[in-house]
Amino acid sequence: GAVVSQHPSWVICKSGTSVKIECRSLDFQATTMFWYRQFPKQSLMLMATSNEGSKATYEQGVEKDKFLINHASLTLSTLTVTSAHPEDSSFYICSARQPGRGEQYFGPGTRLTVT
Amino acid sequence: DAKTTQPNSMESNEEEPVHLPCNHSTISGTDYIHWYRQLPSQGPEYVIHGLTSNVNNRMASLAIAEDRKSSTLILHRATLRDAAVYYCIFDNFNKFYFGSGTKLNVKP
């Protein structure tokens, strides 16, 4: 149980375009989902917390107008990278938390390359 | 950000036990201690978590110091598949702030 999927697993886009990444909890309902970014040979950095039915809360230094997060249902959160630039190229990972549980279950990640 | 301190890397021989240490001196009384591991180009995988008492599951054991300022993840018999980066994290207002982790190398 506790499976989280992401789509797509990798994406290449041109500079200036937007790209949407989906995160789904497949076998449980997640009131809270999280988005992380990981650059090569670095650790995961928390970007934002996504709560179902309300606005996401962003970590300090993360541009909320650039990284749009929507959590429209208990099983789906989306991250849209708007006007992507090469420096946005990274590994984006989501996680989901079951209500009342402390552990997070992570998706397999999405590799974004902006050319 | 919630701070944890782990050795950058450790090495183990296959079939031998591995003890991965973590210091979390700023942990508060209600923060759980979580351990995850990550293979290259994959999302982190849950290993174990605990609050005060030592915990066991099919993957590993977690030994928590009495003052909760440190913990140790124990892999009882390391296999080649256990080679990964291991992260020790504690909940900070239900958020995870990852440290740099310990890269575990398992030698055959």
Side-chain angles (χ1 to χ4, degrees):
Chain A
V3 177
V4 176
S5 70
Q6 283 184 242
H7 178 81
S9 55
W10 60 270
V11 57
I12 301 172
C13 70
K14 292 189 176 181
S15 188
T17 62
S18 297
V19 62
K20 180 186 287 188
I21 303 169
E22 292 185 349
C23 176
R24 293 182 185 272
S25 55
L26 297 184
D27 51 2
F28 66 98
Q29 293 184 330
T31 52
T32 306
M33 290 183 170
F34 303 87
W35 287 96
Y36 297 82
R37 180 166 56 179
Q38 185 175 33
F39 292 108
K41 299 198 183 298
Q42 293 187 23
S43 186
L44 283 77
M45 185 193 80
L46 178 65
M47 298 175 67
T49 302
S50 167
N51 295 295
E52 188 267 337
S54 64
K55 289 185 178 180
T57 55
Y58 291 81
E59 295 297 305
Q60 191 172 9
V62 177
E63 300 175 59
K64 62 180 181 181
D65 294 330
K66 181 168 185 63
F67 299 100
L68 301 179
I69 292 172
N70 184 275
H71 192 159
S73 79
L74 287 172
T75 60
L76 173 65
S77 176
T78 60
L79 169 68
T80 301
V81 183
T82 62
S83 186
H85 289 96
E87 56 265 30
D88 298 322
S89 299
S90 189
F91 193 49
Y92 291 86
I93 307 169
C94 73
S95 71
R97 184 196 296 269
Q98 292 177 276
R101 301 286 297 257
E103 61 269 35
Q104 295 181 22
Y105 293 94
F106 288 81
T110 297
R111 175 79 57 195
L112 170 63
T113 302
V114 184
T115 61
Chain B
D1 295 1
K3 299 289 188 196
T4 58
T5 305
Q6 299 176 252
N8 287 333
S9 64
M10 292 185 66
E11 199 165 75
S12 170
N13 293 317
E14 200 176 9
E15 303 292 314
E16 290 186 356
V18 182
H19 290 230
L20 299 167
C22 179
N23 287 321
H24 30 78
S25 58
T26 62
I27 196 170
S28 72
T30 57
D31 293 338
Y32 277 79
I33 299 156
H34 300 261
W35 283 82
Y36 286 76
R37 67 183 185 184
Q38 185 182 28
L39 295 171
S41 297
Q42 295 187 24
E45 176 189 24
Y46 169 78
V47 178
I48 200 166
H49 77 289
L51 184 61
T52 55
S53 304
N54 294 343
V55 184
N56 299 294
N57 66 20
R58 63 175 180 82
M59 290 181 70
S61 295
L62 175 60
I64 302 171
E66 199 170 328
D67 64 5
R68 295 195 357 104
K69 294 186 184 304
S70 66
S71 63
T72 302
L73 179 71
I74 303 164
L75 306 179
H76 297 285
R77 291 179 64 193
T79 70
L80 297 178
R81 290 187 300 175
D82 291 324
V85 177
Y86 286 78
Y87 294 102
C88 160
I89 309 153
F90 64 88
D91 252 290
N92 187 244
F93 296 100
N94 293 320
K95 296 180 183 180
F96 284 2
Y97 295 99
F98 282 73
S100 54
T102 296
K103 184 174 184 179
L104 175 66
N105 181 37
V106 181
K107 296 186 295 183

